[in-house]
Amino acid sequence: MDNLLDHPLIGQRYFFPRKGFFADPFWVDVDGARLACSYHEINPGAKTIVHFHGNGEIVDDWRGDFVTLINQMGCNCLLAEMRGYGQSSGQVQLGKMISDVVPTIEALKRKAQDLIFFGRSVGSIFALEAAARFPNAAGLVLESAVADVLERLLLRVHPDELNVDLSTLRKVVGQQLNHQQKIALFKGDVLVLHTVNDGLIDVSHGKRLYDWAPARKTIKLFDQGDHNSIMMRNAREYFACLENFIRNL
């Protein structure tokens, strides 16, 4: 049976891909698509941040100052791209995008203990999948993240439009996108970053993720900025939190 999460209406209503171009992508071959990621290595033996960007964003948006700051913290950085975004081929299909996470990480050929997963907004879906699949990774950073995917999907799509009832949709999402279950599997350190003024993904999502995390964990709730300006408005404190988190792994 086809994956309900790959239904075109979910792709059309929930995701906002756009195209972009940069030279020399770090190509990752996945089932039915090729992902144009971007890898920035300073030291083969250093920890590597795997960054999953937000919804209306693409890898190229993050290739400047963000990567420079990550490298200055002593980490390599893989900017992971999603199918249908940037230069990547393939169609935006949530089920397949979840399946792309493991081959993206395996393409780095790194030990899990040397990896830090970073998910911003919708990218948190993929960072949490990574955390569940590679539970021995060093760290997990969740910024403006989603705790309850079903809650988010129901804002854009009614189950009737997918030709299923609510209980069926709830079951499918629960099987593949149970973030409480996924974060409970993770053994590394967790950092949650959110702003109390987030009008897109309420701060309650960040608080839930923090509560569910079983290992060493930190939460930072910013008073400034909103969903899309959290990093810019709190840059000094934001990156200080991130650097301190990395230093203590």
Side-chain angles (χ1 to χ4, degrees), residues 39-49 67-78 110:
Y39 182 49
H40 305 263
E41 183 178 275
I42 55 164
N43 180 348
K47 285 187 169 59
T48 299
I49 285 186
V67 167
T68 299
L69 288 165
I70 295 299
N71 287 163
Q72 287 174 354
M73 294 177 196
C75 290
N76 306 319
C77 185
L78 175 73
R110 291 283 189 274

Side-chain angles (χ1 to χ4, degrees), residues 58-171:
I58 56 175
V59 154
D60 201 28
D61 298 334
W62 295 89
R63 281 170 40 89
D65 293 343
F66 180 80
V67 167
T68 299
L69 288 165
I70 295 299
N71 287 163
Q72 287 174 354
M73 294 177 196
C75 290
N76 306 319
C77 185
L78 175 73
L79 300 172
E81 192 55 285
M82 299 183 283
R83 59 174 66 214
Y85 280 72
Q87 295 175 74
S88 299
S89 62
Q91 300 297 314
V92 175
Q93 295 173 294
L94 179 52
K96 288 186 171 61
M97 292 155 82
I98 295 165
S99 299
D100 293 342
V101 169
V102 168
T104 296
I105 292 164
E106 288 179 340
L108 282 168
K109 297 180 169 61
R110 291 283 189 274
K111 294 178 182 177
Q113 295 91 328
D114 293 330
L115 299 177
I116 303 164
F117 306 127
F118 189 131
R120 164 173 154 70
S121 188
V122 161
S124 63
I125 293 173
F126 310 110
L128 281 157
E129 173 70 7
R133 296 289 188 145
F134 300 89
N136 294 315
L140 172 64
V141 182
L142 298 170
E143 188 248 279
S144 308
V146 178
D148 185 340
V149 180
L150 180 63
E151 176 186 316
R152 306 299 303 164
L153 291 177
L154 290 174
L155 293 174
R156 306 266 170 84
V157 183
H158 192 278
D160 289 349
E161 297 178 289
L162 306 176
N163 298 313
V164 297
D165 57 22
L166 178 58
S167 63
T168 300
L169 181 59
R170 180 178 285 114
K171 181 180 178 181

